Amino acid sequence: MHELALCQDIVRTALDAVEVRSSAVVSIALEVGALSSVNMEALEFCMRIVLDQEGLPHTRVEMTPVPARARCGCGAEYEPEDVFGPCPECEGFDREFIGGTDLTIRHVEVADEQS
Amino acid sequence: MSKVDLNRSVRESNDAVAARNRQAFAAHGVFAMNIIGSPGCGKTSILEYTARHFNGRFAAVIGDVKTALDAERIADCGIAAHAIETGGGCHLNAAQVADAIAEMDLDAVDFLFIENVGNLVCPSAFDLGENIKVAVLSIPEGDEKVRKYPALFVRADALFINKVDLAEHCPYDLERVKADARHVRPGIRVFETSATHGTGFDPWFDFLRSVSPA
């Protein structure tokens, strides 16, 4: 259950990025890798808690899952169905994971200033 | 409506501190190991047995949710041990390790054991600046742990299968566990040990000697 600490980092990073317009944050878009050790439901739950604490109960959280991606020693790149799946080209397991390992903040949407 | 693009990894701040830890280890000739396993799998016992064999030049950073019991147990072996009480936190982060090593004389250390909080999930996702990640499993936990918690084994450089002395009492398919680990992490080094009886440690000691910066 480290999602709460991650959400505090996410919200701090997002608010820092938009500086004075922090009260106008409409949405925060995240990409959640399949191998990022992050549970999407827990992430959503914790984002709501942190956003409520920051006085941003209406800010939306958009989460896009990112599948795992692997590069095999034979040169093939593929999306393994699970981490136990072999390379579809050579059926080997000599691969490194090159995608789906991270949790990324894609962008923050901010409402335009109203005069 | 305007959009501010960030494209920033949430772990960026942790990774920056981890990179500084890694530089400090290299500068002082320290080989650092991030030890990850369930509560009760034998992390501290493996550390004790290894440290006794090498007789000094060892230090330990030990994370526990509550109490410094493990660190005290290690200090009793004559090893410099620093406790990090995470107060509910389920993993160590790079900043906690940075604080701990700031208080250590790293020039007196060849090997640093960083014993993570007992947990197979999130410790694997946080770089501490270590040279290698070491996963620890034990026979009584059952033989499906690699399949259930693959995120750790995808990143682990070495795997202990500990408490092998209990194999005759537990249904456990050792070959399956090793095959699973090698599927997700080809080239992973596997050590089959009993820390209580001190069996199976020679390949591990040979490995440590081979990587020793000293």
Side-chain angles (χ1 to χ4, degrees):
Chain A
M1 248 314 279
H2 57 298
E3 279 82 358
L4 187 58
L6 291 174
C7 290
Q8 287 163 337
D9 280 348
I10 291 168
V11 173
R12 196 178 311 124
T13 303
L15 296 187
D16 285 351
V18 300
E19 296 174 349
V20 292
R21 296 183 292 165
S22 64
S23 62
V25 174
V26 175
S27 70
I28 298 175
L30 305 173
E31 283 184 354
V32 186
L35 299 176
S36 68
S37 305
V38 170
N39 178 289
M40 299 246 302
E41 280 180 26
L43 191 71
E44 188 169 20
F45 181 78
C46 294
M47 282 297 287
R48 288 264 59 93
I49 292 173
V50 176
L51 287 169
D52 284 352
Q53 276 180 349
E54 293 288 337
L56 295 166
H58 303 298
T59 299
R60 281 186 305 168
V61 180
E62 295 164 7
M63 294 187 294
T64 310
V66 177
R69 192 156 180 83
R71 184 190 294 129
C72 182
C74 76
E77 284 189 19
Y78 62 103
E79 277 183 20
E81 281 182 27
D82 67 73
V83 293
F84 290 96
C87 171
E89 299 287 329
C90 71
E91 300 193 342
F93 294 93
D94 177 24
R95 39 84 176 111
E96 58 172 337
F97 290 95
I98 56 170
T101 57
D102 221 342
L103 171 62
T104 308
I105 313 172
R106 292 292 295 174
H107 59 256
V108 180
E109 271 188 319
V110 189
D112 293 326
E113 268 181 82
Q114 292 171 3
S115 51
Chain B
M1 193 102 74
S2 55
K3 198 165 92 175
V4 180
D5 284 321
L6 287 173
N7 292 326
R8 193 181 300 173
S9 167
V10 172
R11 300 199 175 88
E12 212 168 77
S13 54
N14 181 75
D15 289 352
V17 181
R20 286 202 292 277
N21 291 347
R22 191 164 280 119
Q23 283 168 1
F25 295 143
H28 295 277
V30 174
F31 186 78
M33 293 159 270
N34 182 359
I35 316 290
I36 301 171
S38 304
C41 68
K43 297 182 293 299
T44 311
S45 298
I46 288 169
L47 159 50
E48 280 178 315
Y49 195 77
T50 307
R52 282 209 181 93
H53 179 83
F54 282 91
N55 197 21
R57 307 291 294 172
F58 255 87
V61 173
I62 297 181
D64 260 319
V65 172
K66 199 91 183 86
T67 82
L69 284 175
D70 279 354
E72 287 162 11
R73 186 174 141 194
I74 295 304
D76 284 346
C77 304
I79 303 157
H82 190 288
I84 298 173
E85 202 178 318
T86 62
C90 50
H91 60 267
L92 292 180
N93 62 43
Q96 290 167 323
V97 173
D99 289 346
I101 61 176
E103 294 177 16
M104 289 181 169
D105 177 11
L106 289 181
D107 285 329
V109 175
D110 288 337
F111 297 102
L112 179 68
F113 268 80
I114 305 168
E115 185 181 328
N116 222 307
V117 179
N119 179 351
L120 289 179
V121 187
C122 26
S124 71
F126 289 82
D127 184 10
L128 305 178
E130 70 274 358
N131 295 83
I132 61 168
K133 278 185 180 39
V134 180
V136 181
L137 292 175
S138 64
I139 299 283
E141 292 168 55
D143 57 13
E144 69 296 90
K145 287 294 169 292
V146 178
R147 284 173 181 260
K148 284 185 172 175
Y149 301 90
L152 166 60
F153 301 94
V154 163
R155 300 176 174 102
D157 303 288
L159 166 64
F160 274 84
I161 302 173
N162 194 34
K163 308 189 188 182
V164 289
D165 51 309
L166 299 180
E168 60 189 282
H169 306 290
C170 307
Y172 195 92
D173 188 342
L174 199 63
E175 295 308 315
R176 169 184 163 172
V177 175
K178 287 192 280 187
D180 284 349
R182 287 179 175 131
H183 277 185
V184 293
R185 182 68 159 163
I188 192 170
R189 292 167 187 276
V190 181
F191 303 99
E192 299 165 39
T193 57
S194 163
T196 306
H197 295 86
T199 50
F201 276 84
D202 285 343
W204 168 243
F205 295 155
D206 289 343
F207 168 70
L208 287 184
R209 272 189 287 271
S210 76
V211 296
S212 170

